[in-house]
Amino acid sequence: MMPELPEVENIVSCIRNILVNRIILYTIIKNDRLRWCIPFEIKQLFNVRVFNVYRRGKYIILKLYSGYIIIHLGMTGVFSLLFNKLNFGKHDCLDLILDNNMIIRYSDCRKFGFWLWFNKEDKNFFLDKLGPEPLSENFNCNYLYNLTRLRKISIKSFLMNSKFVAGIGNIYANESLFQSGIIPTRLSMNINFNECVNLVNSIKKILSIAIKHNGTTIKNFKQINGKLGEFSKYLKVYGRKNKLCKKCNNLLIYIRQNQRSSFFCKFCQS
Ligand SMILES: [Zn+2]
């Protein structure tokens, strides 16, 4: 189970507080074999100031004096904050040594995450392909309605495609579709304007609540601030296979859609 947008947003807020305006003195690499090998620009960082830390989709971006580090947590990427140098454990990958003696450590037991280097943000293979942020004004009912008119794909696949909207993820796509009464298998082109209004509102509301509650508690994943995600108790359909609908008490349906789990209620959603 991979960290989704709310989890990443919370990690970004924590790292931003620690890193902005600090200087990375150097890095110590313990294992550079992530999804892609950690590039030499990151290995050779020396006395460089961090200007900003922000999120785009599920990517974490560190804006440094000399360029950009783009980080993706993959399935199991975890940050921790150390106050002293500590021996590396089996799954640890790298340390950022800061000028205030703090150390940010990245660990990743399945190694699907990555750390890459870019000189310019706008020439970036990953960020160029992303649709609008779901919590931004650019993601609105007109945008969703216009873009779905010609799409013969299910609305759930549409929401999960980051070129249409960045980083909603499986948990929050399932929950938003339940809240707006739309069945995940409906064709995108058949969603009417009012349903687009409801869906956009549901997505924004659910993601905002999830961010407030530190995301959903996920196996192999801990917040850098040590807080556990508490959104799981608000889940209405996700992960509730063979359970009853919280609205109408009928059995929820579980199907696989594009290799991902979909949960819905055939009475509350159409
Ligand atoms: Zn129901």
Side-chain angles (χ1 to χ4, degrees):
M1 186 64 65
M2 61 185 85
E4 296 194 11
L5 188 151
E7 290 81 13
V8 178
E9 179 64 30
N10 279 293
I11 292 169
V12 163
S13 322
C14 294
I15 309 176
R16 186 188 294 129
N17 287 335
I18 298 161
L19 271 181
V20 169
N21 283 325
R22 292 252 73 91
I23 288 172
I24 298 173
L25 296 178
Y26 57 96
T27 56
I28 304 176
I29 311 290
K30 188 255 179 175
N31 184 350
D32 68 357
R33 283 154 61 191
L34 291 173
R35 194 188 317 177
W36 294 290
C37 194
I38 296 174
F40 74 93
E41 288 94 339
I42 295 174
K43 292 177 179 170
Q44 294 176 351
L45 280 180
F46 179 72
N47 272 349
V48 61
R49 189 175 293 276
V50 182
F51 285 133
N52 198 6
V53 177
Y54 55 98
R55 180 189 61 74
R56 183 77 176 92
K58 289 193 270 187
Y59 301 103
I60 298 168
I61 300 141
L62 311 188
K63 184 182 186 219
L64 310 183
Y65 176 76
S66 47
Y68 295 82
I69 297 176
I70 302 213
I71 303 162
H72 193 282
L73 301 171
M75 308 282 278
T76 52
V78 175
F79 282 99
S80 42
L81 179 64
L82 310 179
F83 297 93
N84 292 298
K85 281 198 178 123
L86 205 64
N87 289 339
F88 281 117
K90 189 178 168 199
H91 301 303
D92 297 334
C93 302
L94 74 116
D95 281 353
L96 300 178
I97 314 294
L98 307 181
D99 60 338
N100 60 354
N101 296 321
M102 286 186 182
I103 297 164
I104 288 191
R105 174 165 288 183
Y106 178 78
S107 318
D108 194 340
C109 72
R110 295 185 65 181
K111 312 273 189 295
F112 286 127
F114 61 76
W115 284 57
L116 291 177
W117 178 264
F118 293 91
N119 291 318
K120 277 188 179 163
E121 184 197 25
D122 57 357
K123 291 274 182 285
N124 183 329
F125 175 74
F126 302 101
L127 304 185
D128 281 355
K129 291 185 173 173
L130 288 181
E133 283 293 317
L135 290 170
S136 73
E137 287 177 10
N138 293 336
F139 181 68
N140 55 47
C141 47
N142 289 320
Y143 173 84
L144 182 63
Y145 184 76
N146 291 334
L147 213 59
T148 46
R149 286 316 83 195
L150 297 170
R151 307 284 167 192
K152 289 185 180 169
I153 55 170
S154 72
I155 185 63
K156 173 135 182 278
S157 305
F158 182 93
L159 295 179
M160 299 280 291
N161 188 331
S162 60
K163 80 178 182 212
F164 299 134
V165 51
I168 288 184
N170 199 31
I171 296 177
Y172 305 102
N174 274 292
E175 292 296 313
S176 310
L177 287 165
F178 176 76
Q179 183 163 316
S180 42
I182 299 167
I183 222 153
T185 49
R186 276 264 298 280
L187 280 186
S188 307
M189 60 195 294
N190 295 339
I191 309 287
N192 68 34
F193 188 78
N194 278 338
E195 289 172 321
C196 287
V197 173
N198 287 337
L199 185 51
V200 166
N201 289 339
S202 301
I203 289 167
K204 289 180 191 280
K205 195 172 154 194
I206 285 170
L207 286 176
S208 307
I209 296 173
I211 288 171
K212 207 173 114 194
H213 291 279
N214 273 311
T216 310
T217 302
I218 287 176
K219 208 171 130 190
N220 292 330
F221 179 76
K222 67 178 181 211
Q223 297 271 334
I224 190 168
N225 60 8
K227 287 186 211 156
L228 285 175
E230 292 178 328
F231 187 72
S232 57
K233 60 188 174 201
Y234 298 90
L235 297 176
K236 300 267 191 339
V237 286
Y238 183 83
R240 302 193 65 243
K241 192 177 176 179
N242 296 327
K243 300 238 163 85
L244 300 180
C245 173
K246 291 184 176 180
K247 261 190 205 165
C248 72
N249 238 18
N250 284 297
L251 197 63
L252 293 175
I253 311 285
Y254 165 81
I255 57 166
R256 297 288 286 175
Q257 251 184 308
N258 298 326
Q259 290 91 48
R260 303 302 299 273
S261 312
S262 291
F263 304 85
F264 61 92
C265 172
K266 66 179 176 188
F267 299 95
C268 296
Q269 290 165 266
S270 59

